[in-house]
C-alpha cells in the first residue's frame, strides 16, 4: 500500500508536497487503463466518476477516481492493475 500522507490538505487543489512530488495529472480519463475503469464499474455499477487523476507516488502510476454513488462520494485510488490502494469518503 502506498503512503499518501495527509490528503485532506490537498484534496481540492492537489497542491501539497506529496502531490507535487507525485506529479498529478488532472482529468486524465483517456489515459486510464481498462482494468481500472472496468474494476470500478464492476465494484460500483450505479456510481459515476466525476474526475480522474493520475498520480505517481514513488514512481508508481496510480489513478484517483472522484466518484459519486447516489449521495455517497468516494475518492478511490487504484493501481494501474486495478488493485484498490485506498478509499476515502470526503
Amino acid at each position: 500500500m502506498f503512503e499518501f500522507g495527509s490528503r485532506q490538505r490537498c484534496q481540492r487543489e492537489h497542491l501539497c508536497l506529496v502531490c507535487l512530488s507525485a506529479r498529478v495529472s488532472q482529468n486524465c480519463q483517456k489515459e486510464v487503463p481498462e482494468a481500472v475503469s472496468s474494476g470500478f464499474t464492476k465494484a460500483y455499477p450505479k456510481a459515476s466518476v466525476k474526475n480522474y487523476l493520475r498520480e505517481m507516488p514513488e514512481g508508481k502510476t496510480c489513478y484517483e477516481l472522484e466518484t459519486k454513488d447516489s449521495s455517497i462520494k468516494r475518492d478511490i485510488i487504484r493501481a494501474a492493475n486495478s488493485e484498490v490502494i485506498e478509499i476515502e469518503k470526503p
Side-chain angles (χ1 to χ4, degrees):
M1 185 173 280
F2 299 120
E3 261 316 303
F4 287 97
S6 177
R7 297 186 52 78
Q8 285 73 28
R9 290 183 299 207
C10 67
Q11 268 187 336
R12 185 170 171 86
E13 298 296 325
H14 295 281
L15 294 174
C16 69
L17 291 176
V18 172
C19 294
L20 288 174
S21 66
R23 295 182 294 178
V24 174
S25 297
Q26 291 190 338
N27 217 0
C28 64
Q29 181 177 4
K30 294 176 185 176
E31 302 170 18
V32 175
E34 179 64 29
V36 172
S37 56
S38 64
F40 167 75
T41 303
K42 184 177 179 181
Y44 303 97
K46 295 181 181 180
S48 61
V49 179
K50 294 172 52 178
N51 195 18
Y52 295 86
L53 304 169
R54 181 171 47 95
E55 302 177 346
M56 296 186 67
E58 301 174 13
K60 299 175 183 175
T61 302
C62 61
Y63 298 88
E64 180 174 347
L65 289 69
E66 295 175 356
T67 69
K68 186 172 182 181
D69 189 354
S70 192
S71 63
I72 301 170
K73 293 181 181 180
R74 290 183 190 91
D75 292 348
I76 302 169
I77 300 171
R78 290 182 172 260
N81 67 359
S82 193
E83 174 189 358
V84 175
I85 305 298
E86 184 177 350
I87 298 175
E88 299 174 348
K89 292 183 181 177

